[in-house]
Amino acid sequence: MSGAPDFDRLRRLTPARVRLDAASRPVPLDALLSFQQDHAAARDAIHAGLDMAALCAALAPRPCIAVVSRATDRATYLRRPDLGRQLAPDTQLPQLSCPLALVICDGLSAPAAMAHAPAVIAALAAQLPELDSQPVVVVQGGRVAIGDPIGQALGAEMVLVLIGERPGLSVSDSLGAYLTLNPRPGLRDSARNCVSNIHLNGGLSPVAAADRLAWLIRQAR
């Protein structure tokens, strides 16, 4: 590209804000209001609580097992990531001896978990018949690694954690999916496969995400 950068062309290629600054002229009012709206949506997503009852209703008739992490409130969750990786003391989980454990966490965007996780699980179950009656563990205040003790307690060969991703200024309800073989506490994130940016605002659809996850699961087996 010769001469001055073609910012209009760049803006057509990405939902990100390209050169939105006041260096040479005031920011247009519509751009400023859009920025403030998206920033507020991101903040709301981070602080939103997980509606366990509504999420379990969306997963019905599939059974749910509701648990919590050691992060007892949202402020603690944001300050202490380590507590979000651990189950609350005295948590009891059934021994399922299953090929794949299903886990949903609020993460940094409970709206993402609410909006997309049930659809991902439904699409995945359509490809993997063994998931037809598989219960889902729903975690309040969970981080990705909390799937490791859950998978181990359930006796699972693999664990799939669906979790709300850190919201940005383009989308605040993006879901991430993390697949781990032989889950157990102490694993590093490099031991996981990730399918990210699952959302309906130009991201990966739940059906497309389930296709990728099903392929990863079959390859792992």
Side-chain angles (χ1 to χ4, degrees):
M1 185 183 296
S2 60
D6 188 348
F7 291 118
D8 287 337
R9 182 184 176 193
L10 288 175
R11 292 186 185 100
R12 291 194 294 270
L13 297 174
T14 174
R17 289 168 170 83
V18 178
R19 196 174 172 81
L20 179 59
D21 59 51
S24 58
R25 58 187 173 83
V27 176
L29 180 60
D30 59 343
L32 176 62
L33 293 177
S34 175
F35 177 88
Q36 292 175 336
Q37 181 180 27
D38 289 344
H39 185 259
R43 289 177 59 90
D44 287 347
I46 287 175
H47 293 283
L50 184 66
D51 188 335
M52 289 267 201
L55 182 55
C56 289
L59 291 164
R62 186 180 301 277
C64 288
I65 303 171
V67 299
V68 297
S69 75
R70 291 189 59 193
T72 55
D73 55 68
R74 201 63 184 167
T76 302
Y77 176 82
L78 295 174
R79 290 197 308 265
R80 294 285 306 274
D82 59 311
L83 297 182
R85 301 182 186 111
Q86 305 171 51
L87 287 167
D90 302 322
T91 299
Q92 300 294 321
L93 290 169
Q95 177 63 235
L96 299 178
S97 299
C98 53
L100 178 67
L102 301 171
V103 179
I104 298 176
C105 299
D106 45 7
L108 289 170
S109 177
M114 299 285 297
H116 309 306
V120 172
I121 288 177
L124 187 61
Q127 299 197 45
L128 302 175
E130 66 268 27
L131 298 180
D132 282 346
S133 59
Q134 179 80 21
V136 179
V137 179
V138 180
V139 187
Q140 182 173 310
R143 301 275 180 172
V144 172
I146 204 168
D148 297 340
I150 291 174
Q152 185 181 59
L154 295 175
E157 297 173 8
M158 284 182 277
V159 62
L160 174 64
V161 176
L162 303 176
I163 187 167
E165 296 181 320
R166 180 180 290 105
L169 294 175
S170 298
V171 60
S172 60
D173 65 342
S174 181
L175 186 76
Y178 293 82
L179 184 67
T180 307
L181 182 67
N182 297 325
R184 59 195 183 279
L187 289 178
R188 297 184 177 183
D189 286 340
S190 58
R192 315 184 199 287
N193 279 310
C194 175
V195 176
S196 62
N197 293 306
I198 304 167
H199 58 86
L200 302 179
N201 185 26
L204 196 65
S205 72
V207 172
D211 287 343
R212 294 191 184 185
L213 289 167
W215 182 87
L216 287 169
I217 290 166
R218 294 188 184 107
Q219 293 301 307
R221 290 174 177 170

